[in-house]
Amino acid sequence: MDIRFNERLNRLPPYLFIEIDRRKAELRQAGVDIIDFGIGDPDTPTPDFVVGKMQESVANPAGHRYPLGRGKPVFREAIAAWFRGRFGVELDPAGEVLFLIGSKEGIGHLPFAFLDRDDICLVPEPGYPVYANATILAGATPHFMPLEASNGYLPDLDRIPPAVLNRARIIFLNYPNNPTGAAAPDRFWKEAIALAARYNIILASDAAYSEIYYGERPKSILEFPGGREVGIEFHSFSKTFNMTGWRVGFAVGNRQALAGLAAVKENLDSGVFEPVQAAAAAALAGPEAFTAGLRRMYRKRLETLIAGLNGYGLAARMPAGTFYLWVAIPAGRTSAEYAGHLLEKKGILTTPGNGFGPHGEGYIRFSVTIDETRILEALERLKQG
Ligand code: PLP
């Protein structure tokens, strides 16, 4: 037998975190106490009002069968109600709301509905790797849009060549942004919507961090004129309600874009377990104080980390959103070297910025999904030279 990966799988870039994971495991094995700022996975539990709903729902055999379809109407209505309250946008739960098995699943499947072989997908870089990798798996081509500090980590849409725009079918945008923590101003969303309309490109907005913000409350693209005509927006329960393991999210927006995604999903998965849908609906209906508490917690952790890093000579500023801190490393070092140095010499695990794309070179990312006492311990280790 000669089992070979197909051309598309072989085209995926190497998983840059493999080496870090391997080294982390080795050091842990050797008894090193590693302070892990690596992965963005909330460390505090899912709230009781969600867990309780799950426990209650899972006992009902009616929910044990294939969920099928876009989600149970009553739970899609809960999403529409939350969206109305949060963004002031009316959604038709029947045609403008789709449950997902985590927002990653929807983001990953979107290219399979809309990209053909010669098509291009516009992808921010540095960025969440799924946009480009799903594009490649779908047999199409990513075109990277650099995010640079000098432009507020917004892609310069005027720099995308018209020949690329003519072949582009999807543009992914993600604000609050992973990994930079940047926000997008209204002006940018309006420009992006106009560009998408002009070139007939689906604007896929990844709003996974919409509720983790420290300044202005992020907007939905559906709040802007024309947003609904061009846009599909991905939302996640993972960060808002500490539900990364539950695998649940949703997409809203343009009916045709949702219909394409739903058609792909119908052939590959059978929907979200009904008790998980019930729990997700309970999360959205729950007290806003829960997520406000998360924001306070992450803000405090970030402020502690920023103050300590600044004292250590690393420039860092409060991000607009997310629980990530994107930090420029000293000149003359590479991200991989610097992250390697922190890991080997201090037992501090960060993610090298180049793992998110070439424009991430010169940066490391801290995720503050660890307790403040551990953050202080890491800062102490840095001080110790
Ligand atoms: N989008 C971004 C930018 C992310 O960072 C993540 C997870 O880290 C996701 C989407 C996926 O989230 P989930 O699939 O848990 O909803």
Side-chain angles (χ1 to χ4, degrees):
M1 259 306 256
D2 177 15
I3 298 182
R4 291 187 199 177
F5 291 170
N6 68 7
E7 183 208 325
R8 280 159 287 156
L9 197 51
N10 279 324
R11 269 175 68 204
L12 291 189
Y15 180 60
L16 255 152
F17 307 115
I18 277 185
E19 180 52 25
I20 306 172
D21 286 346
R22 192 191 56 77
R23 194 60 195 133
K24 174 171 121 185
E26 260 176 24
L27 289 170
R28 281 219 162 118
Q29 189 76 22
V32 178
D33 171 30
I34 291 173
I35 303 178
D36 191 349
F37 291 96
I39 192 163
D41 191 351
D43 56 315
T44 52
T46 308
D48 289 345
F49 57 87
V50 178
V51 175
K53 187 64 180 179
M54 178 73 182
Q55 284 168 328
E56 176 197 317
S57 309
V58 83
N60 179 2
H64 295 176
R65 311 187 73 182
Y66 285 122
L68 298 177
R70 295 178 170 211
K72 204 171 168 177
V74 61
F75 302 134
R76 274 186 280 144
E77 277 160 23
I79 290 175
W82 179 80
F83 220 83
R84 183 186 308 122
R86 168 66 175 85
F87 298 109
V89 170
E90 280 301 328
L91 294 172
D92 166 17
E96 294 180 320
V97 178
L98 171 64
F99 261 98
L100 300 170
I101 310 171
S103 62
K104 181 182 193 176
E105 177 265 307
I107 291 165
H109 279 145
L110 189 72
F112 289 85
F114 295 105
L115 298 181
D116 285 314
R117 188 164 264 285
D118 291 327
D119 292 341
I120 283 176
C121 181
L122 301 169
V123 172
E125 178 276 299
Y128 184 54
V130 180
Y131 316 132
N133 291 352
T135 298
I136 292 169
L137 286 175
T141 306
H143 173 88
F144 292 102
M145 306 177 288
L147 306 187
E148 292 173 308
S150 57
N151 198 38
Y153 298 111
L154 300 168
D156 183 348
L157 301 176
D158 294 335
R159 261 172 49 190
I160 308 169
V164 169
L165 289 168
N166 284 327
R167 282 174 55 202
R169 297 275 71 87
I170 299 175
I171 178 169
F172 277 106
L173 294 170
N174 164 227
Y175 294 96
N177 181 259
N178 175 12
T180 66
D186 291 3
R187 167 195 61 77
F188 176 77
W189 286 125
K190 289 179 191 160
E191 274 173 33
I193 289 168
L195 183 87
R198 177 161 171 217
Y199 286 93
N200 200 29
I201 300 170
I202 296 170
L203 196 175
S205 163
D206 177 354
Y209 297 91
S210 70
E211 306 314 302
I212 311 295
Y213 56 85
Y214 309 106
E216 213 177 302
R217 212 160 66 146
K219 288 195 178 145
S220 162
I221 53 163
L222 304 185
E223 290 181 62
F224 295 95
R228 219 190 205 99
E229 279 70 61
V230 300
I232 179 169
E233 189 165 83
F234 294 93
H235 286 263
S236 174
F237 294 84
S238 293
K239 328 286 166 164
T240 312
F241 302 104
N242 296 340
M243 290 175 72
T244 47
W246 295 60
R247 308 316 304 135
V248 60
F250 63 90
V252 294
N254 182 278
R255 286 170 193 274
Q256 183 65 2
L258 289 171
L261 178 55
V264 171
K265 284 172 57 55
E266 264 158 35
N267 287 286
L268 295 173
D269 67 63
S270 300
V272 172
F273 186 35
E274 227 172 81
V276 172
Q277 292 183 39
L284 293 178
E288 190 2 63
F290 175 77
T291 305
L294 285 186
R295 285 191 289 269
R296 276 197 301 279
M297 179 182 76
Y298 292 132
R299 177 195 284 276
K300 187 143 183 294
R301 290 176 178 181
L302 284 162
E303 284 173 351
T304 300
L305 180 61
I306 290 165
L309 291 178
N310 288 346
Y312 180 68
L314 286 176
R317 280 193 298 134
M318 191 68 191
T322 77
F323 38 60
Y324 302 116
L325 192 63
W326 187 241
V327 179
I329 59 172
R333 313 284 292 268
T334 68
S335 297
E337 260 169 38
Y338 198 73
H341 158 79
L342 291 181
L343 182 60
E344 301 291 335
K345 298 285 185 293
K346 315 273 182 183
I348 297 171
L349 183 77
T350 60
T351 306
N354 64 319
F356 300 98
H359 285 83
E361 185 52 77
Y363 294 86
I364 51 173
R365 190 193 76 174
F366 290 78
S367 173
V368 294
T369 44
I370 55 173
D371 201 78
E372 200 171 343
T373 54
R374 292 291 273 168
I375 297 175
L376 289 167
E377 217 178 311
L379 293 170
E380 202 49 46
R381 287 187 196 178
L382 285 179
K383 260 201 269 170
Q384 275 160 14

